Amino acid sequence: METVDIVLPLEASEDASEWEKAAAKKLGVAKVHEVRLLKHSIDARQKRVKVQLRLEVGVDGPLPAAVEPTWEAPPLPKSAKTVVIVGCGPAGMFAALSCLEKGMKPVVLERGKDASARRFDLAPILREGTVIEDSNYCFGEGGAGTFSDGKLYTRATKRGPVRKVYETLVAHGAPSRIMIDAHPHIGSNLLPNVVKAMRESILKAGGEVHFQAKVSGFVRGAGIHDRDGHAALRGVVTTDGREFVGDAVILATGHSARDIYRLLHEEGVMMEQKPFAVGVRIEHPQPFIDAQQYHLRKGEERPRLLPAAKYGVATKIDGRGVHSFCMCPGGWIVPAATENDEVVVNGMSLSRRDSPFANSGLVVTVEPEDTKRFKKEHGVLAGIAYQKDLEMKAKKAGGGGQVAPGQRVADFLRAKVSQELPKMSYFPGGLSSPLHEIMPREVVRRMKEGLRLFDRKIRGYAGAEALLLGFETRTSSPVRVPRDETMQHPEVKGLYPCGEGAGYAGGIVSAALDGMKVADAVADA
């Protein structure tokens, strides 16, 4: 059995007989017995698109039967540790599965609803502009990724076993293709069933999952202190008065759980500011992105074998990054607000990625020193206040509900209000607004310069059909909840900060990896 990398022209890339010929040639043999696809990636850097394939090859005989991923955990011992996990996003769910694998009992608390009930709560925000504040695009089973895309591409390969994350998702119903594609993606239409299956695994293995269980306080251990005299954390209290206690608390809330940051601040739990990014969603017709990325002639349709094209752009201007974020080919812009006094936009795609639009975040880095005007009143939470200020301005500019302020890119660059906005994927709609006046001056300046640079890389990127919608503010957490070498908070023993909300991840896979790593640390404690 051998592993080989081959490159084929697009038109031959789906033909298994061509795989066999190319593998035989690469290995210097007349013929191979069998091949199996391990990796698939598209190389569109040159005018003629090629496909890079990694194959497992049976040279003299058949390959061993493929093993389908499964997930199982041993029976829980009577002496099992109980681990309270706050948050049922990827960090929390993978932490729970890892706890069960290591003989610990997870008790998962989620402020929102299960994925099936949560789906119905998206209708009011789309159609009426009303946010159900604990059940929306950000809060609920599976976290923000459940109904906003399910992109799995990650650069976090040094953080842990990425393949195990993919295998766990496939074991719970995700398409097996995610283990092959270079930029794997599940899609918002498929991901809800995957997270429901993961919840069933947690329950069947002896764990607990509680929905509409919003944490409002902490339980400290009476007479239990760490070596520095700080009371250890034993559990949490929810808004309905229930108390959940255990041997450890994994804090796996997402970056939009601002009430948790306020609770930590009120309790005197040390946090620190960190960089984040704010900006807009930029949207183009998908055929324009296809033509640019795949070198198509005017009017030429994208070949059937090619997926909706994606892109990534990035630069640095005066010490701050300007870059695309969470690019959604064949996607939709969606409302991601968590309170009714704000407008926030995000992007998503279905598994088919067949929308006529392509959207991406276009954001500028914000460093802690950029939030100083909020520092006196909000302290370490100044970054959250910075985000909130922009979100409230978007609400006012949009004129009501979840209507978002918008501007054509060409008008934004000229500091001119658009007479009308182009067609868009954003269901609540947009209202022409002076984004160049609403956003912070230094964000606007850098974004304008970035757009001009990106237009030279992707001709027409800043052209007449490009639309900006405000505002993309929830790129990452503005604060970090620190932890030491044991993965616990350095001052509050028993508290394990985890995932995006604590400042240690930036997407589904990195959050899942962090959840697994923290569960390992709890088991070792």
Side-chain angles (χ1 to χ4, degrees), residues 243-303:
E243 191 174 279
F244 295 87
V245 296
D247 298 280
V249 175
I250 296 178
L251 191 66
T253 54
H255 56 52
S256 289
R258 291 169 171 169
D259 56 311
I260 292 294
Y261 297 133
R262 288 193 289 269
L263 176 61
L264 292 167
H265 194 45
E266 291 163 5
E267 291 274 332
V269 176
M270 179 177 64
M271 293 180 286
E272 57 197 30
Q273 283 192 258
K274 61 176 279 293
F276 57 105
V278 300
V280 294
R281 275 273 144 186
I282 183 167
E283 185 165 78
H284 301 84
Q286 181 63 48
F288 164 76
I289 300 298
D290 291 340
Q292 293 296 311
Q293 299 299 88
Y294 293 141
H295 319 289
L296 305 178
R297 296 183 298 273
K298 188 173 182 179
E300 183 183 1
E301 290 188 8
R302 183 179 79 231

Side-chain angles (χ1 to χ4, degrees), residues 180-478:
I180 294 169
D181 287 338
H183 289 78
H185 169 255
I186 297 178
S188 299
N189 52 324
L190 303 181
L191 198 54
N193 286 334
V194 176
V195 299
K196 285 189 281 187
M198 291 172 70
R199 180 223 313 164
E200 287 304 312
S201 285
I202 293 168
L203 296 174
K204 286 178 181 177
E208 297 179 17
V209 181
H210 300 269
F211 295 108
Q212 296 181 275
K214 184 176 179 178
V215 169
S216 58
F218 297 127
V219 179
R220 304 274 187 146
I224 305 173
H225 296 77
D226 64 22
R227 61 180 179 272
D228 298 317
H230 298 286
L233 198 65
R234 291 188 58 240
V236 298
V237 178
T238 56
T239 51
D240 57 7
R242 287 179 291 171
E243 191 174 279
F244 295 87
V245 296
D247 298 280
V249 175
I250 296 178
L251 191 66
T253 54
H255 56 52
S256 289
R258 291 169 171 169
D259 56 311
I260 292 294
Y261 297 133
R262 288 193 289 269
L263 176 61
L264 292 167
H265 194 45
E266 291 163 5
E267 291 274 332
V269 176
M270 179 177 64
M271 293 180 286
E272 57 197 30
Q273 283 192 258
K274 61 176 279 293
F276 57 105
V278 300
V280 294
R281 275 273 144 186
I282 183 167
E283 185 165 78
H284 301 84
Q286 181 63 48
F288 164 76
I289 300 298
D290 291 340
Q292 293 296 311
Q293 299 299 88
Y294 293 141
H295 319 289
L296 305 178
R297 296 183 298 273
K298 188 173 182 179
E300 183 183 1
E301 290 188 8
R302 183 179 79 231
R304 178 186 60 82
L305 294 178
L306 287 176
K310 59 177 72 71
Y311 67 82
V313 289
T315 189
K316 203 161 192 177
I317 298 171
D318 296 337
R320 301 287 184 270
V322 183
H323 59 94
S324 56
F325 172 82
C326 184
M327 197 269 148
C328 299
W332 309 85
I333 300 176
V334 295
T338 51
E339 295 182 288
N340 276 295
D341 61 352
E342 64 194 27
V343 166
V344 181
V345 289
N346 193 8
M348 56 80 74
S349 299
L350 301 178
S351 59
R352 297 184 303 277
R353 288 181 160 170
D354 57 357
S355 155
F357 299 99
N359 74 79
S360 175
L362 183 69
V363 295
V364 178
T365 300
V366 178
E367 295 286 347
E369 57 263 35
D370 301 331
T371 68
K372 60 185 177 183
R373 66 190 174 100
F374 298 99
K375 189 81 174 178
K376 184 175 180 181
E377 181 179 355
H378 299 279
V380 73
L381 305 183
I384 294 174
Y386 182 105
Q387 290 175 317
K388 183 71 176 180
D389 178 70
L390 196 51
E391 294 162 3
M392 292 173 69
K393 287 175 178 174
K395 176 80 171 188
K396 183 178 179 181
Q402 285 297 304
V403 176
Q407 192 171 17
R408 290 179 183 268
V409 172
D411 293 328
F412 175 75
L413 291 174
R414 295 196 301 259
K416 174 186 172 185
V417 176
S418 302
Q419 289 190 352
E420 61 178 2
L421 300 179
K423 288 183 179 180
M424 65 184 73
S425 68
Y426 185 64
F427 190 86
L431 182 68
S432 181
S433 306
L435 301 186
H436 59 279
E437 294 178 1
I438 301 171
M439 286 191 289
R441 185 179 304 169
E442 288 306 299
V443 170
V444 171
R445 181 177 67 82
R446 291 182 172 95
M447 190 178 292
K448 283 184 175 182
E449 192 169 334
L451 279 164
R452 292 187 179 103
L453 288 170
F454 302 151
D455 191 64
R456 292 199 283 272
K457 180 179 180 182
I458 303 175
R459 289 293 181 185
Y461 188 78
E465 294 183 291
L467 168 71
L468 304 180
L469 277 184
F471 291 113
E472 171 87 62
T473 52
R474 310 289 178 92
T475 55
S476 64
S477 171

Side-chain angles (χ1 to χ4, degrees), residues 7 11 25 100 112 119 129 165 184 357 371 435:
V7 177
E11 56 274 15
K25 184 177 180 180
L100 289 160
R119 185 186 294 275
V165 174
F357 299 99
T371 68
L435 301 186

Side-chain angles (χ1 to χ4, degrees), residues 52-133:
Q52 299 174 335
L53 304 172
R54 177 165 293 168
L55 303 172
E56 192 174 36
V57 184
V59 180
D60 300 318
L63 292 167
V67 178
E68 292 297 318
T70 59
W71 184 87
E72 57 184 21
L76 281 176
K78 290 183 179 179
S79 59
K81 284 183 180 179
T82 297
V83 183
V84 179
I85 300 174
V86 184
C88 195
M93 296 192 92
F94 274 83
L97 292 171
S98 291
C99 283
L100 289 160
E101 289 170 352
K102 294 180 178 300
M104 301 184 293
K105 178 181 178 177
V107 178
V108 182
L109 308 179
E110 169 55 51
R111 70 191 299 158
K113 299 179 183 178
D114 66 85
S116 296
R118 181 184 174 193
R119 185 186 294 275
F120 291 100
D121 290 342
L122 302 182
I125 193 170
L126 290 170
R127 300 185 182 279
E128 303 159 21
T130 302
V131 180
I132 298 176
E133 296 191 350

